[in-house]
Amino acid sequence: MPKKKKVNINISVNHVTRVEGHGNIRLRASDGMVEHVEWQVPEAPRFFEAMVRGRSFEDIQTIVSRICGICSVTHSLAAIKGVEDALGVEVSEQTDKLRILCHYGEQIESHSLHVGYLVAPDLLGQKSVIPLVASHPDMVKTIIRLHRLGNTWMEIIGGRMTHPVSLKVGGFTMLPSEEKLRELKGMIEKAVPDLKTLAEVVLSLADKLPDFNRETEYIALSGPDYYTFYHGDIASTDTDEKVPVQEFERVTNEYVVAQSTAKWCKWHRESYAVGALARFNLNAGQLLPMAAETAKKFVLKKGTCNPYLNNVAQVVECAQVVEHSLQIIDELLTKGLKNEPVKIKPKAGEGVGCVEAPRGILFHRYAFDKKGFCTKANICIPTGQNHANIQKDFEALAPQIIDRGQDEIRLLLEMLVRSYDPCISCSTHFLNVEFV
Amino acid sequence: MRPILIICLGNPLMRDEGIGVRLASELTTHLADNPDVEVMDLGTGGLSVIHAIAGRKKTIFVDCAIMGKTPGLMCRFTPGQVSSKKVRMSYSLHEADLLNTLELSHRLGLCPDDVVIFGIEPGQIAPGEGLTSELENNIQQYVQAVLKELT
C-alpha cells in the first residue's frame, strides 16, 4: 500500500431542502487519516402509509403509484400483490404475464436512464448529460430512444407512460390489443441494436469504474424458474435459506440512526445491498443468452462485490428483460388475449406484496377490515435498505482514496452513491424559479 | 398526435404540489371535444417530458412553482423568462427540474418552439391530500387562464 500523504480534507455536500430530500456526504480527514465519513439522509418522512389507511382495497394502487414517478409501476404492482395476498385473490396466467411485461418496461426505462443520464457523465468527465449532446450525440440519442421505448411500453400495457391506470387488483381494467402487443414486439426487436450500443459504450468506459471491493451481503428475490423481478422468495448471498416474502421484516430488521431520517436495514451483517448487482449475484445462472453474453463481455461474475459495477449489472438486465419480454409476448399472442372479468369480495386479512424495483427489492404490507378498508400499511423501499450499505462502503473506501485530492474524493463518493441508483426526492417535482 | 399538449405535473399526495394533477382532470373535461389539444397528467414523470412534447407545435405546462409570490397566484412565463433556483445533487434519477429537462430537449432538437409555463405559487408542500384554500378557491380562475392560452 502506498504511503498516504498527510493531507487535511473537509468535504461537506449538503442537501437543499427537507421537503425535496437529498443525501449529504460528510468527510473529515486530518494528517491523511479519515476521522469521520458519513452518508446522511435528511429526507422528511412522507407518511404514505398513513394516507392509505381507511381507503378501499381498490384504491391502494392508484394512491401508491404516486409515491414515485420512476418506480410507479413497481409500487402499483407491489400494492396489488399485497392486496391480493390479503384477500386471497388468485390471478390468471395472462394477468401474471402482462404484469411482468409492464414491469419490464419500467426496468428498461429506469436502467437506461440511470446509465445514460447519471453514470455516463461521470465516466466521460462531465457534470451532466447536457454537454454530452454535443460531444457524444449518438450515445445520447441511443439513450433517448431506449427511454422512449420504456415510456411507450408502459403506455401500451399500463395505460399511460407513468402512474399506470390499467393495473388493478385481480387483473386489468383494460387489456392492450393484440395489434398493440405486436407493435410493441416490433419496437423491442428494433431496440436490440441500441442495447448493444449501450453495452459497447459502457464497456469502452468500464476501466473508469473504480476498482473497489468490499465483502457484502446481497439480497434479492429468487425463484426456481427464471431470473425474477416479480415472483419468488427472499434470498441472500450469505445463506441458503429462502424467506417467504410474507416474513420480510425478518430480513429487513429496520432500525433508526441519528444520521438519517430514513430507517436503515440489516440482516446477517451490519448492512446489505439490493438492486441489479444483488439480483445478478443471486440469479446470474438464470440469465437468458443475450444477457449472459453481455455479462461475459464485461467479465461480470457471480460474487462481484464492487458496488460501482451495479451499473454494469443494469446493462446486463436490460438485455435480460428485452429477451424475456419477446418470449412473453409470443406466449401471449399464441394463446390470444381474453377479457377476464374478476369479482372480488372484500374480507378481513393481511398480506404482503414484493416486487423488484429497478433499484432493488420493495415490500408492501397491508391489512384490511372485513369491508376491505385498509387498517395498516408498511412500505419498505429499496433505497432505505441500501443506506446502511452506502455508509459501510464509505467507511471502507475513504481511507483507500484519501490521498487523491479533495475534488476526486468527492467525485468518487458521489459516484458511489449514484451507483446505487437511489430513489430520493422522488415525490416532489415542483419548479423553484426566479424571474430574470 | 395532437399539435397542442397541456402537461400537468405534480404529486397529489403532497398537498399543493398536486395542483397540476388536479387541473389535469378539470382541463380534460373542458377540452374533451377539442381535436387539437391533448391534456396529459404526467405526475412526477420527470424526464418523460422529453418524449411527451417531441413533435408538438405548442406545449403548455401547468405546475406548482415556488416564485416568491403570494400563495395561490398563477404566473404565466416562458422558459427564457426564468432561471432555476434548484440546486441539483445528481445522485438520483428522481431529482427532476423541468427547466433542465427542457434545455436537454431543446439541445436534442425535440422541444417545440412554443413553450409556455403556468406556475402556481403553493401555500403548503407537505405530505397529505387536498389543496390549501388559497389554491382550491381559485381552480376555475386557473382553468380559464389556461383555456385563454389556447385562443
Side-chain angles (χ1 to χ4, degrees):
Chain A
M1 171 143 340
K3 193 176 175 187
K4 290 190 177 82
K5 292 176 193 170
K6 292 193 172 182
V7 292
N8 296 323
I9 302 280
N10 196 347
I11 292 173
S12 182
V13 185
N14 289 311
H15 70 288
V16 183
T17 71
R18 264 176 68 82
V19 173
E20 287 170 277
H22 283 294
N24 298 337
I25 295 173
R26 298 264 193 274
L27 186 148
R28 190 177 64 245
S30 174
D31 290 335
M33 299 296 290
V34 177
E35 293 177 341
H36 179 76
V37 61
E38 203 167 81
W39 167 240
Q40 302 174 337
V41 182
E43 187 174 46
R46 286 180 274 168
F47 307 113
F48 294 123
E49 287 101 331
M51 287 184 216
V52 298
R53 283 204 292 269
R55 305 295 288 264
S56 165
F57 74 91
E58 293 169 309
D59 298 337
I60 306 292
Q61 78 86 13
T62 307
I63 298 167
V64 301
S65 83
R66 297 283 181 174
I67 289 176
C68 172
I70 306 277
C71 317
S72 59
V73 171
T74 302
H75 276 289
S76 292
L77 289 174
I80 286 169
K81 287 180 76 182
V83 173
E84 288 169 350
D85 188 40
L87 304 187
V89 177
E90 298 282 337
V91 300
S92 70
E93 186 184 337
Q94 173 181 289
T95 289
D96 216 40
K97 286 188 167 147
L98 281 169
R99 285 179 180 173
I100 291 170
L101 190 58
C102 189
H103 195 210
Y104 282 167
E106 188 163 273
Q107 303 286 343
I108 278 285
E109 182 200 31
S110 184
H111 281 355
S112 56
L113 276 179
H114 184 247
V115 172
Y117 285 15
L118 282 187
V119 178
D122 278 335
L123 303 181
L124 292 164
Q126 295 292 345
K127 293 264 183 211
S128 81
V129 72
I130 288 178
L132 301 185
V133 177
S135 63
H136 296 76
D138 291 342
M139 186 204 78
V140 176
K141 283 175 187 167
T142 299
I143 297 297
I144 292 286
R145 282 194 296 272
L146 289 169
H147 180 200
R148 187 186 298 126
L149 169 68
N151 274 178
T152 310
W153 189 327
M154 288 186 285
E155 196 169 5
I156 288 173
I157 314 292
R160 61 182 177 192
M161 63 172 78
T162 186
H163 311 301
V165 288
S166 64
L167 308 173
K168 70 165 190 174
V169 176
F172 278 76
T173 57
M174 188 179 65
L175 292 176
S177 66
E178 292 184 9
E179 186 188 347
K180 279 284 177 191
L181 269 189
R182 273 189 283 274
E183 195 181 308
L184 177 60
K185 185 185 172 194
M187 286 190 283
I188 296 172
E189 284 168 339
K190 277 188 187 164
V192 171
D194 279 341
L195 277 177
K196 289 185 175 165
T197 302
L198 177 66
E200 281 161 17
V201 169
V202 176
L203 188 59
S204 70
L205 298 168
D207 61 339
K208 293 186 170 21
L209 290 167
D211 182 19
F212 165 68
N213 292 277
R214 184 179 70 82
E215 284 293 322
T216 298
E217 177 177 17
Y218 290 95
I219 288 174
L221 277 177
S222 186
D225 304 323
Y226 71 114
Y227 188 102
T228 183
F229 292 80
Y230 189 76
H231 293 117
D233 294 321
I234 309 165
S236 159
T237 49
D238 273 9
T239 175
D240 291 332
E241 181 191 8
K242 300 283 192 292
V243 176
V245 297
Q246 283 77 8
E247 298 171 26
F248 78 85
E249 291 91 345
R250 194 152 69 74
V251 171
T252 53
N253 300 298
E254 287 183 295
Y255 63 104
V256 176
V257 291
Q259 72 199 69
S260 167
T261 50
K263 289 176 186 168
W264 285 17
C265 295
K266 60 179 176 182
W267 194 10
H268 295 100
R269 307 184 188 207
E270 289 180 294
S271 66
Y272 64 80
V274 300
L277 188 58
R279 291 188 289 264
F280 176 87
N281 274 333
L282 283 152
N283 304 318
Q286 296 169 312
L287 287 171
L288 292 167
M290 188 165 69
E293 184 61 28
T294 307
K296 199 173 163 188
K297 279 186 184 162
F298 282 96
V299 201
L300 188 69
K301 292 178 180 164
K302 263 183 114 165
T304 300
C305 52
N306 178 348
Y308 293 98
L309 295 183
N310 190 51
N311 307 312
V312 172
Q314 289 174 326
V315 175
V316 172
E317 285 193 337
C318 284
Q320 171 66 20
V321 300
V322 156
E323 212 165 354
H324 195 205
S325 296
L326 293 173
Q327 285 181 6
I328 290 174
I329 294 174
D330 279 344
E331 288 161 10
L332 285 166
L333 289 173
T334 301
K335 286 199 171 181
L337 292 177
K338 300 171 194 70
N339 279 315
E340 301 171 320
V342 180
K343 195 164 172 66
I344 294 164
K345 200 175 166 189
K347 66 172 188 176
E350 185 165 331
V352 170
C354 175
V355 180
E356 286 279 346
R359 47 212 41 80
I361 195 165
L362 167 71
F363 304 103
H364 281 215
R365 176 183 289 283
Y366 300 101
F368 297 93
D369 65 19
K370 63 183 180 184
K371 290 183 178 170
F373 291 100
C374 182
T375 57
K376 185 173 83 175
N378 183 23
I379 296 172
C380 185
I381 65 167
T383 295
Q385 295 172 71
N386 275 331
H387 284 318
N389 213 60
I390 293 173
Q391 174 65 34
K392 294 299 161 194
D393 280 350
F394 271 17
E395 290 169 13
L397 177 65
Q400 295 179 25
I401 59 173
I402 201 63
D403 57 350
R404 302 271 187 99
Q406 187 146 320
D407 289 347
E408 190 179 348
I409 294 169
R410 173 182 166 152
L411 175 64
L412 290 170
L413 294 175
E414 288 182 338
M415 281 173 67
L416 180 73
V417 174
R418 278 193 278 278
S419 74
Y420 280 86
D421 190 11
C423 172
I424 41 183
S425 73
C426 58
S427 63
T428 55
H429 283 191
F430 54 82
L431 284 156
N432 188 352
V433 298
E434 60 186 353
F435 289 86
V436 293
Chain B
M1 180 186 288
R2 298 185 190 191
I4 301 173
L5 175 66
I6 301 175
I7 298 192
C8 302
L9 299 169
N11 190 341
L13 305 183
M14 297 294 287
R15 303 295 312 266
D16 290 346
E17 225 278 284
I19 179 65
V21 173
R22 171 66 185 281
L23 289 173
S25 64
E26 298 279 342
L27 289 164
T28 300
T29 307
H30 278 83
L31 294 165
D33 299 327
N34 190 325
D36 294 328
V37 183
E38 181 180 351
V39 180
M40 185 181 287
D41 165 6
L42 203 58
T44 52
L47 289 159
S48 295
V49 161
I50 292 170
H51 305 300
I53 66 176
R56 310 280 182 168
K57 189 176 168 198
K58 178 180 180 115
T59 300
I60 300 166
F61 288 94
V62 182
D63 197 4
C64 168
I66 295 174
M67 302 172 286
K69 308 282 187 188
T70 308
L73 188 75
M74 174 187 253
C75 293
R76 177 198 182 280
F77 50 91
T78 61
Q81 290 176 315
V82 292
S83 66
S84 180
K85 290 172 71 180
K86 276 195 169 180
V87 178
R88 299 175 74 244
M89 309 296 279
S90 296
Y91 290 155
S92 167
L93 278 181
H94 305 257
E95 238 178 5
D97 178 22
L98 177 59
L99 295 175
N100 194 270
T101 304
L102 287 173
E103 187 186 347
L104 178 59
S105 166
H106 182 69
R107 291 202 187 197
L108 287 163
L110 298 173
C111 191
D113 292 334
D114 193 354
V115 175
V116 171
I117 301 170
F118 283 95
I120 297 155
E121 186 76 35
Q124 185 187 35
I125 299 177
E129 293 178 271
L131 303 170
T132 59
S133 59
E134 290 99 324
L135 275 67
E136 184 64 51
N137 294 339
N138 289 325
I139 291 291
Q140 290 313 313
Q141 183 192 319
Y142 302 147
V143 169
Q144 291 309 316
V146 177
L147 293 177
K148 194 177 167 197
E149 183 68 29
L150 300 170
T151 58

